[in-house]
Amino acid sequence: MSFRTTPPVDYVEDVSPGRGTLPPRAWYASSDAKSLSLNGSWRLRLSATAGAEDDSFAAEGYDAGDWAEVTVPGHWVLQGDGAFGSPIYTNHLYPFPVDPPRVPTENPTGDHLRVFDLPEDWPALDEGGAVLRFDGVESCARVWLNGTELGEFKGSRLPHEFAVGELLKPAGNVLAVRVHQWSAGSYLEDQDQWWLPGIFRDVTLLHRPAGSVGDFFVHASYDHTTGEGTLCVDSDVDGRVSVPALDIDVATGEPVTVPVEPWSAETPRLYDGELITAGERVPLRIGFRTVALEDGLIKVNGRAILFKGVNRHEWHPEKGRALDLETMREDVLLMKRHNLNAVRTSHYPPHPAFLDLCDEYGLWVIDECDLETHGFTEQAWRDNPVDDDRWTPALLDRAARMVERDKNHPSIVFWSLGNEAGTGRGLTAMAEWIHGRDPERLVHYEGDINCRDTDVYSRMYAFHDEVDRIGQRLDGGTHKRRELPFIQCEYGHAMGNGPGGLADYQELFEKYDRLQGGFIWEWIDHGIKHPELGYAYGGDFGEELHDGNFVCDGLIFPDRRPSPGLVEYKKVIEPVRIEGDGADGTVRVTNKYDFADLSALAFEWAYQVDGETVEAGALSVPNLAPGESADVKLPEPPAHEPSGETQWTVRALLAADTAWGLKDHVVAWGQVPVHARRSPAVTASVRPTASERLITLGPASLDARTGALTAIGGVEVTAPRLDVWRAPTDNDDGAEWQTDTRYGMLWRKYGLHRMRHRLDAVELSDDALTVRTRVAPAAWEFGLATVYRWTSDGERLKLTVSVTPDGDWTVPLPRLGIRFGLAQADRVRWFGGGPGEAYPDTRLASMVSRWQATVDELQTPYLRPQENGARADVRWVELGGLRIEGDPEFWFSARRWTNEQLDAARHLTDLTPGETVWVNLDHGQHGIGSQSCGPGPLPQYYLRAEPAEFSFVFSTTR
């Protein structure tokens, strides 16, 4: 009898971080020592289990000619058109049985091979050593070079290095890496993301000359009282530190104090320097700044800071977490151009080059450890690794690899222990180690509710009223917690249409010193490019467990186009406030920066009549210091027709090109009304006439039996009638764990998506046609008594809609207005809010002006289709040959599918344009809120079922 044994795979389920790797050290992008990138095309053999193959593939001379090819950095499940398996998305559920540290036998394992030669200019092999560096491998890797096993490691988003100098040869080096999708480390990496195995960050061979740089720590503090910075570079290898711009040339370990310009996110001053040892020269980019917890506040360089931040997972719609430098730069530039000043690296350290960009362009950073055990909530946190001493070495290893790699970045002001990992002794051990290793920064962890181990009280998705209480220090908790500053490490869940309520949060942040801002969840929608679905999300790959489109919750779309949520956030957090009422001819300008004055900005004014600029010019604004305000005199308004609506628009622009934006980039703006709009008036001077089938009223034709409008001046329409339904947003539907009212579900329960229209009467009088109806859902006793009153002056047609609720309405309405269809419409012009969509609690960025777009351009391409595209504060709109004026102002939207079709679609590719353009003219909209993971709309943004009357005036433009 014969049998085959499989190689041991015990290391996969070992709770230790691994073996054979070098101690962690500071990362740097370059030096004068040689390096060789091993990125590129690798050979791949995929197995279904961890022990399916022996390790013979690692030997020299192994023939892998029939293996597949993949690109490194990369994830094998995103390559090969599905031949290598599929992505899996879960929010917090582990996609395998919870039995720590055991993992399933079905454990996709990728054997990777790369054969490489050393470059001709590589130093002689007896001159120094060499290090093989992996910057990120998910989730467990075992490594061989030229047939010799180097070791194995876990910690997917962390660097690992091996000493390989004695194993190298000039040509034909064989690098073999076995990567397991599941390991004991997977229990520590349950981070609300796609599970994507592979070598997804750089692989690099580094020459280490004799006397080369080892680990080093750049200490660069700033004394705001003297304007001096103190530099001291601790180094494992003795050497010198040179900073020419500061005339510094000192030995490592020797402090030196000189006058400097400090580093901040607003003024990211970096000094170029060098660390010079006997064998290597390493470039340094030094930022002087001091982080402290003083007076119960987070202070940098002596000033309290306000985080206007975002959480950022690494993402590319085709490459997953394998990001190139230019994609990372694009992220940082978008953040800066939208007034963000901070990033939380959810929920792991990013590619180190991203932190270089944060240093360069200026962003505060909370650097978060590669740790989350959220799936243990399903077991009431039983067996949670962070409270199990067996796992503590792995936790400390992860903390050390983060801190040691990233410690020389001035942008980092907080180390975060991780995310949603409960509480336990392991976290305390991490906090103690970090505090001891780097007392010059603060420690964050949201799950430490009593702030035993942390330097800040941090919460997720606290509702506005609770944040208000926290600001007043009325929240209770331990004495230590009550004395600490507060941040929302996650708020404003940017899933689908929204988030709403950001302006209300910002008002609280600015009202109370204790509240030091927060971080929107999150930066980018994590849709995966798909040939049939456009972008795929959870469940689109047949996962047995998934959390649907909860992975699509970003301020930018997967292709990195800004969403309306990002545009709104830019306005909410703009660093200059411009406000006034126009009564006294002045505008108040306030500097909301923490450090910068206004010298980098230029101001301009525009005077507008009925939305059109009639005159514009430069505005002289004092160079205000942070926190200062000034009342600035506006010029005398130009002569204009007194009947027009008038306003001032004042903008703050970049005065010159900067590293992140071009001259004239708009940083902030404000509008000051002067003369209000006059409501449109139609004298009811034309009598309706009726025949057997037709009623004629001025330019209108209506059905004699139903009173339904069929045409206006030759423009055919599908009859307008009351509409209360919108395709529920992700925030309308709310998260499954929400205990608050989830209005999307209630709207469906009460049948608001299937309202019936009963005709009660069609009445003609001398000056009007009145149609009386009742609009109500089947199975319920409540409804809306709705009266349409049509009048005309011969050229224009006015519709007045009166709505009176009857019965017991216990829920707000999704929308209230009329909907009608047009056979032909493409170009749309309007005077009102724009250029993008706006809703009651997402309208701060809506600028009143004249705008135009196509019907298709009005749509917002949320990955899961839902209500979108409404323009707010509209005075009039023109489309399809009609001009429509509102009294009062209204919301309008237009799309080539019905709200019901929009509601039924799961992906954008499910929406097929029809021959009719459906137009909504809304008197009201329900707020958006953030209930996909947070609070719903505040009460002031509810659209309550109560008596309402509104009018529209129709005329033709042909």
Side-chain angles (χ1 to χ4, degrees), residues 32-43:
D32 65 344
K34 294 294 182 183
S35 66
L36 175 64
S37 171
L38 297 178
N39 296 344
S41 179
W42 289 52
R43 292 289 184 171

Side-chain angles (χ1 to χ4, degrees), residues 216-223 227-235 240-260 270-276 284-290 407-408 410 440:
F216 62 95
F217 198 159
V218 176
H219 303 275
S221 62
Y222 178 72
D223 186 335
E228 294 178 320
T230 299
L231 175 67
C232 182
V233 179
D234 295 331
S235 175
R240 298 196 67 77
V241 177
S242 170
V243 187
L246 297 175
D247 293 326
I248 291 176
D249 187 351
V250 296
T252 54
E254 180 180 328
V256 58
T257 300
V258 294
V260 298
L270 293 173
Y271 290 91
D272 291 327
E274 260 192 326
L275 171 59
I276 306 162
L284 303 176
R285 303 199 76 189
I286 301 165
F288 291 87
R289 57 102 186 96
T290 296
K407 59 183 176 284
N408 295 324
E440 298 168 1

Side-chain angles (χ1 to χ4, degrees), residues 399-468:
R401 290 187 183 279
M402 171 184 69
V403 171
E404 302 295 8
R405 188 196 78 168
D406 296 342
K407 59 183 176 284
N408 295 324
H409 291 283
S411 56
I412 297 173
V413 292
F414 269 96
W415 302 114
S416 180
L417 304 181
N419 183 68
E420 293 177 317
T423 58
R425 291 164 287 176
L427 291 165
T428 298
M430 293 171 70
E432 290 175 349
W433 184 89
I434 292 173
H435 275 123
R437 177 59 175 145
D438 184 17
E440 298 168 1
R441 291 183 177 93
L442 305 179
V443 172
H444 167 273
Y445 177 62
E446 180 267 342
D448 184 9
I449 197 68
N450 290 320
C451 302
R452 179 182 64 179
D453 303 319
T454 56
D455 300 309
V456 62
Y457 177 28
S458 177
R459 289 282 303 282
M460 296 179 181
Y461 309 107
F463 287 21
H464 297 78
D465 56 351
E466 184 181 6
V467 173
D468 196 340

Side-chain angles (χ1 to χ4, degrees), residues 819-868:
R819 174 170 43 159
F820 64 94
L822 291 172
Q824 292 184 345
D826 184 32
R827 178 63 56 179
V828 184
R829 298 178 63 246
W830 74 97
F831 173 26
E837 72 181 28
Y839 291 83
D841 53 350
T842 66
R843 66 195 300 173
L844 208 66
S846 182
M847 178 184 286
V848 174
S849 187
R850 292 201 189 191
W851 308 100
Q852 59 179 325
T854 65
V855 169
D856 293 337
E857 289 169 346
L858 293 176
Q859 314 311 309
T860 304
Y862 296 116
L863 269 62
R864 185 191 72 81
Q866 56 197 272
E867 166 63 32
N868 73 89

